[in-house]
Amino acid sequence: MATLPNPLPRLATDPSGRALGLELPPGRLIDATDEGTWHEPLLWHAGRSASSGNWARLAAPASRLGLLPVLVDVGDQVGGPDQWELRPGKMSYPGDHDADEVLAGFWEDYVADTSGAEEDDADLEETLAPFGPDWPGLAPERTLSADPDVRAAEIADRLLSDGSWFEDPRLALVPARRSADIPAALGWPAPVNHEDDTAVLCAVLRSWEDRFGVRVVALTYDQLVLSVAAPPTTRAEAEAVAAEHFAFCPDSIVQGHHETVRAYAEHAVRDQRMWSFWWD
């Protein structure tokens, strides 16, 4: 995958980051992948749990260097990113993929895999309502209701203050062109059973960045959390976005609390400033 020059190697001899204009706490550089040691660090993460305000203080100076913030969980049963079997060498470039084509392909594959018998078709119709088996297309762009980077800091603090599924969240920095590219820059493998090239999904994240002011805020071994600066506010808008979420990550709906696109739209998309996804 095409990347910007990586400033992280300089932290090996300057752990505080002062030469880069940063004030970093003690932390770790991660270069472990599924095929051994990567030729340069893939991310840095702090050596202590993140707290409210950390994101806002570090995001602006780090982003000027091409380092983007994300929260990573190092405390679940799998461990931190050094145990995630990252796959950077297997990633393509997000800009080489079209979001509409990607989502249409996922939607059509799901329909093909789950239809056939009469009862299967009835279940499929209920799951995909108010849409049918044909891909409905991308939802329209929304007007921003907040600065996307301010919203990202807000959601990061909310995750830390509310408690949540994080066991031990750490603030991390990733060399990436834009927030949507962070999973691909890491070679994050969580969606492998849905799509083994995470850059394909990052093309969708780029589209959501452009249309809804999305930022990648947090990653665990198998979960992705986004902030949303322009969430849908009407039922029709939410259902259109929910269709995209379904194609992007069916597991979050069919194995989640809301088993249909319509229910998911109302409870997990409409007016929601945070979107989260989980792959089995």
Side-chain angles (χ1 to χ4, degrees):
M1 183 181 117
T3 59
L4 295 170
N6 186 353
L8 290 181
R10 296 181 60 179
L11 298 181
T13 55
D14 176 27
S16 70
R18 290 189 182 92
L20 294 171
L22 303 175
E23 292 287 340
L24 299 178
R28 294 185 61 192
L29 292 169
I30 304 298
D31 58 8
T33 76
D34 66 333
E35 295 182 341
T37 302
W38 195 241
H39 64 275
E40 60 183 4
L42 294 165
L43 73 152
W44 168 93
H45 71 69
R48 60 179 183 236
S49 295
S51 58
S52 180
N54 287 167
W55 181 293
R57 283 192 294 272
L58 189 56
S63 65
R64 288 193 286 270
L65 301 169
L67 296 172
L68 301 183
V70 65
L71 295 174
V72 297
D73 191 5
V74 306
D76 67 14
Q77 60 183 356
V78 177
D82 58 325
Q83 302 296 316
W84 291 357
E85 299 185 340
L86 301 174
R87 309 162 71 240
K90 298 179 175 68
M91 300 294 108
S92 60
Y93 178 55
D96 289 340
H97 309 284
D98 177 80
D100 189 34
E101 292 177 1
V102 167
L103 292 173
F106 287 146
W107 184 279
E108 291 161 4
D109 288 346
Y110 185 88
V111 170
D113 290 343
T114 56
S115 60
E118 184 175 341
E119 59 272 21
D120 292 337
D121 290 344
D123 288 343
L124 181 65
E125 183 177 348
E126 180 180 1
T127 298
L128 297 184
F131 307 104
D134 296 329
W135 167 240
L138 296 182
E141 180 177 354
R142 290 274 305 151
T143 301
L144 293 175
S145 57
D147 179 284
D149 295 319
V150 172
R151 177 60 52 80
E154 169 196 320
I155 296 302
D157 285 352
R158 172 177 156 188
L159 288 172
L160 298 172
S161 62
D162 285 355
S164 71
W165 52 89
F166 283 114
E167 298 290 338
D168 188 0
R170 308 288 178 90
L171 186 61
L173 296 175
V174 178
R177 293 175 179 272
R178 50 194 290 181
S179 180
D181 293 356
I182 286 173
L186 293 176
W188 187 59
V192 66
N193 291 331
H194 182 55
E195 170 55 58
D196 62 4
D197 180 1
T198 307
V200 172
L201 296 176
C202 289
V204 178
L205 296 181
R206 282 185 168 204
S207 180
W208 290 348
E209 264 194 6
D210 295 339
R211 288 182 288 137
F212 309 115
V214 156
R215 295 290 185 269
V216 173
V217 173
L219 294 170
T220 75
Y221 173 70
D222 57 5
Q223 294 175 316
L224 166 68
V225 182
L226 309 176
S227 61
V228 190
T233 58
T234 69
R235 184 176 69 178
E237 290 170 343
E239 288 174 347
V241 172
E244 295 190 33
H245 285 202
F246 185 89
F248 183 79
C249 181
D251 291 343
S252 286
I253 298 178
V254 297
Q255 298 188 45
H257 297 296
H258 314 294
E259 297 180 354
T260 68
V261 169
R262 177 174 279 134
Y264 176 85
E266 185 61 29
H267 297 285
V269 177
R270 188 175 182 179
D271 294 319
Q272 296 301 307
R273 299 179 177 187
M274 181 178 74
W275 297 341
S276 62
F277 303 92
W278 165 83
W279 287 267
D280 191 1

